[in-house]
Amino acid sequence: MTSTTQAPHRSNPVPGGRREAATSRKRAAILVAAQAQLAEHGYDRMTVAHVAQDAGIAIGTLFTYAATKAELLMMVTADRWSDFVPSTIQSAPPGDPVRALRHLLAPFVDIALREPATTVAVARELLFGQPGPHRQAVLSLVADLEAAMARLLAEAGSTRAAEAATMLFAGVLFEANRARDRRIIRADDMDERVERLIEACLPRNESSTHA
């Protein structure tokens, strides 16, 4: 009786590492291209087709990363904000709630001054946009920021700290829109408006000590 030796079965290795690396490269290329398009043309004139072309990928591939133009904006925003929101919250100075609130809002004021049109587009999508994973990621960062501001407002004696924190962040975005419409894009103007917003959200005795 002749015996046959069966070769051991070798499964084809799944190139998961290479796939993940390719996915990361494409995502990075999309982010670079979208940020460049936003800086050069603004959100309204930016097109998904141009972003895909600049990223060196097919438009269908881009839609697997961001299903709509609005989600592409949120993808860029989530990537940028995740770079500074957690560290800004952690580095808030202790002891003085007004100083700490200014610290938390400073990066957003800076972005609003440098990129007013994009800031308005982001605010519009946060307030009225359709649900999506990238929008949800931005909203989660906003929730973290508002929670940090609410803690400071509560320490200052606010009895409705959560609502005040939400109003404070929305107010900064609103002031950015007003500054854009009036073409008043100066740091002093925005700083003064943010100062007034903070004072309005603080209990009267706390705000009066910083007047």
Side-chain angles (χ1 to χ4, degrees):
M1 187 173 179
T2 304
S3 62
T4 59
T5 303
Q6 187 176 7
H9 175 70
R10 295 180 181 177
S11 60
N12 293 326
V14 178
R18 269 184 269 175
R19 239 190 343 254
E20 290 175 3
T23 297
S24 296
R25 284 196 299 271
K26 289 176 184 176
R27 182 179 184 276
I30 291 168
L31 288 168
V32 169
Q35 288 175 14
Q37 284 283 325
L38 284 168
E40 184 175 355
H41 302 294
Y43 177 71
D44 291 338
R45 293 175 57 204
M46 179 185 78
T47 68
V48 175
H50 284 148
V51 172
Q53 180 180 354
D54 291 350
I57 61 173
I59 191 169
T61 301
L62 189 148
F63 281 131
T64 65
Y65 290 81
T68 64
K69 179 181 173 180
E71 267 290 274
L72 181 58
L73 174 66
M74 292 291 97
M75 179 181 173
V76 171
T77 304
D79 181 73
R80 294 181 68 189
W81 288 15
S82 64
D83 283 342
F84 67 80
V85 169
S87 59
T88 301
I89 292 172
Q90 291 183 357
S91 60
D96 184 344
V98 174
R99 183 164 165 250
L101 287 167
R102 289 197 203 107
H103 170 84
L104 292 176
L105 291 169
F108 298 95
V109 173
D110 181 59
I111 291 173
L113 290 168
R114 287 186 291 106
E115 305 168 17
T118 299
T119 300
V120 171
V122 169
R124 185 172 61 235
E125 289 304 321
L126 289 177
L127 291 171
F128 308 113
Q130 296 298 312
H134 298 304
R135 180 174 179 269
Q136 184 55 51
V138 178
L139 288 172
S140 295
L141 291 168
V142 172
D144 292 342
L145 177 75
E146 290 181 352
M149 292 194 297
R151 288 192 293 271
L152 291 167
L153 290 165
E155 290 172 7
S158 174
T159 57
R160 303 184 67 178
E163 293 90 337
T166 298
M167 290 176 60
L168 184 53
F169 184 71
V172 169
L173 298 182
F174 177 73
E175 289 296 345
N177 189 23
R178 287 180 61 193
R180 173 177 176 252
D181 287 344
R182 296 179 181 181
R183 302 297 188 267
I184 304 173
I185 316 295
R186 294 197 338 233
D188 291 345
D189 294 322
M190 277 297 294
D191 286 344
E192 182 180 352
R193 291 171 185 176
V194 170
E195 190 78 20
R196 290 177 182 174
L197 285 169
I198 292 173
E199 290 176 0
C201 291
L202 287 168
R204 187 176 298 275
N205 59 340
E206 183 68 26
S207 62
S208 62
T209 62
H210 293 84

